[in-house]
Amino acid sequence: MTMGCPYGTHRVLEPAGSLPQPAWRLNDDPKIYDNEILIDVQRLNIDSASFRQISEEAGGDPDRIAAIIRRIVTERGKMHNPVTGSGGMLIGTVREVGPALNADVRPGDRIATLVSLSLTPLRIEAIHRVLPESDQVEVTGTAVLFETGIYAKLPDDIPDNLALAALDVCGAPAQTARLVKPGDRVLILGGGGKSGLLCSYAARRAGAAEVICFDYSDESLARARRLGAAHRYIQGDARDALGVMRAVGEKVDLTLSLVNVPGAELGAILATKPTGKIYFFSMATSFTAAALGAEGVGSQVEMLIGNGYYPGHADLTLNLLRESPELRALFEEIYA
């Protein structure tokens, strides 16, 4: 048997000895090891921070966006944005399952990967369409999932692109459900984006006494108001730390930082009680700025790295769409 490392180190080409996520380049050969899964890829969901950066570099031109994505994947053997360091996720159809895997999927099953594209060997044969409104890209290609890679079978009752959008950020509402205690006041920076909408609903559902939706965009705030899960809606720039603090007023128990731009760390810190918590889910976060910033303003606030994995996160998030007609309608409007 040809067995690979469960963590995928056998796919690393550069630098030797690295794990796949921090590696510069991976082997994207679709010939799999006996403990891997081969996927025929139909759609990529580029993470929000990465898509924003690529779109700005491309001047918003879909053809140039496609060319940049193609260049990154060709150069690195994975979709790992060298500027933001982030990736996204994908949906596709299982083509082959290694004989050494005790997996609950078989060829023909439709799945979404729940590990980052920044560590997933990926080969793109063609890019058919770029969908800027949803950060998604329709492609033909192949991807490899390692033995330790997690995934979710796509449900029959939710369209694939809608499920992809929700599953891309499913760690955030799952962590929100875990972190919110009944009676908490919760601030959501980037509350009108897709993770923000899910987290607003999850926070209200978990018993938050007040949910504050903070967003820069008129359009995003209008979406959040239509959902109606928040109690207050504030328009502002999350990078203006003092402006965030003043707009929020009394400091909150929990802040969720979901913005797709850098520089929002101190706004989250100043708006949160020193005894509170901040969950940094944004891939634009500088954890150096967060750590040194909290130290600099004398706050002992507990800061959590936005690990996208939490047990049961996929089912929890899809169930939110099933449970709330308003939430599902908003997602269908944007993604389906």
Side-chain angles (χ1 to χ4, degrees):
M1 297 177 70
T2 307
M3 296 288 287
C5 169
Y7 304 109
T9 57
H10 57 287
R11 288 274 181 175
V12 174
L13 297 177
E14 182 186 346
S18 173
L19 283 161
Q21 199 286 324
W24 177 256
R25 190 161 60 99
L26 302 181
N27 175 5
D28 61 6
D29 190 339
K31 182 179 179 181
I32 62 170
Y33 287 71
D34 286 357
N35 56 339
E36 294 179 330
I37 295 173
L38 180 65
I39 304 164
D40 287 317
V41 182
Q42 280 105 45
R43 190 175 289 230
L44 308 177
N45 195 112
I46 309 300
D47 78 274
S48 182
S50 179
F51 195 92
R52 179 188 178 100
Q53 184 277 318
I54 291 170
S55 182
E56 289 176 349
E57 182 181 334
D61 179 12
D63 290 337
R64 291 179 61 196
I65 292 171
I68 292 169
I69 291 171
R70 189 73 181 266
R71 184 188 73 218
I72 292 170
V73 173
T74 300
E75 182 177 63
R76 305 199 65 174
K78 55 178 178 171
M79 180 53 219
H80 189 173
N81 187 324
V83 178
T84 64
S86 52
M89 57 174 291
L90 63 85
I91 58 172
T93 302
V94 174
R95 183 197 295 185
E96 187 179 352
V97 179
L101 276 183
N102 182 23
D104 64 347
V105 291
R106 63 185 66 184
D109 284 347
R110 296 175 306 117
I111 65 171
T113 58
L114 299 178
V115 290
S116 175
L117 291 176
S118 66
L119 60 82
T120 304
L122 175 66
R123 179 176 291 187
I124 292 179
E125 298 167 16
I127 295 179
H128 306 294
R129 189 159 64 130
V130 173
L131 304 162
E133 68 280 2
S134 62
D135 302 344
Q136 294 182 4
V137 186
E138 293 179 352
V139 304
T140 296
T142 56
V144 175
L145 200 60
F146 306 130
E147 182 178 338
T148 52
I150 54 175
Y151 55 84
K153 291 184 181 180
L154 291 170
D156 294 328
D157 62 329
I158 297 176
D160 287 356
N161 46 346
L162 180 60
L164 174 62
L167 291 172
D168 177 50
V169 294
C170 64
Q175 293 283 7
T176 299
R178 178 180 74 89
L179 292 169
V180 172
K181 303 296 185 293
D184 278 354
R185 296 177 60 249
V186 180
L187 169 64
I188 304 179
L189 300 178
K194 65 180 177 182
S195 57
L197 295 172
L198 287 163
C199 290
S200 292
Y201 184 80
R204 187 74 173 259
R205 187 172 179 265
E210 184 179 27
V211 178
I212 304 168
C213 173
F214 188 106
D215 207 292
Y216 183 79
S217 160
D218 283 331
E219 182 181 359
S220 295
L221 278 176
R223 275 200 301 264
R225 285 193 176 95
R226 283 172 55 196
L227 176 61
H231 299 84
R232 289 171 59 194
Y233 302 88
I234 300 172
Q235 183 173 19
D237 188 338
R239 297 168 294 189
D240 177 5
L242 291 175
V244 173
M245 180 184 72
R246 290 168 182 149
V248 170
E250 181 186 352
K251 294 180 186 290
V252 300
D253 301 287
L254 171 67
T255 294
L256 310 174
S257 183
L258 312 176
V259 297
N260 62 5
V261 293
E265 297 84 5
L266 272 168
I269 292 164
L270 290 180
T272 309
K273 294 176 181 177
T275 54
K277 294 180 180 179
I278 303 172
Y279 177 65
F280 286 109
F281 187 71
S282 168
M283 290 295 101
T285 301
S286 163
F287 294 100
T288 302
L292 298 180
E295 177 185 294
V297 298
S299 175
Q300 67 181 39
V301 65
E302 182 178 349
M303 298 182 289
L304 307 172
I305 295 175
N307 180 356
Y309 174 67
Y310 187 75
H313 60 339
D315 287 341
L316 181 148
T317 300
L318 294 176
N319 283 335
L320 295 181
L321 294 178
R322 295 183 178 108
E323 179 181 304
S324 170
E326 296 82 7
L327 183 60
R328 178 159 179 164
L330 282 171
F331 268 67
E332 285 178 341
E333 179 181 306
I334 303 168
Y335 303 107

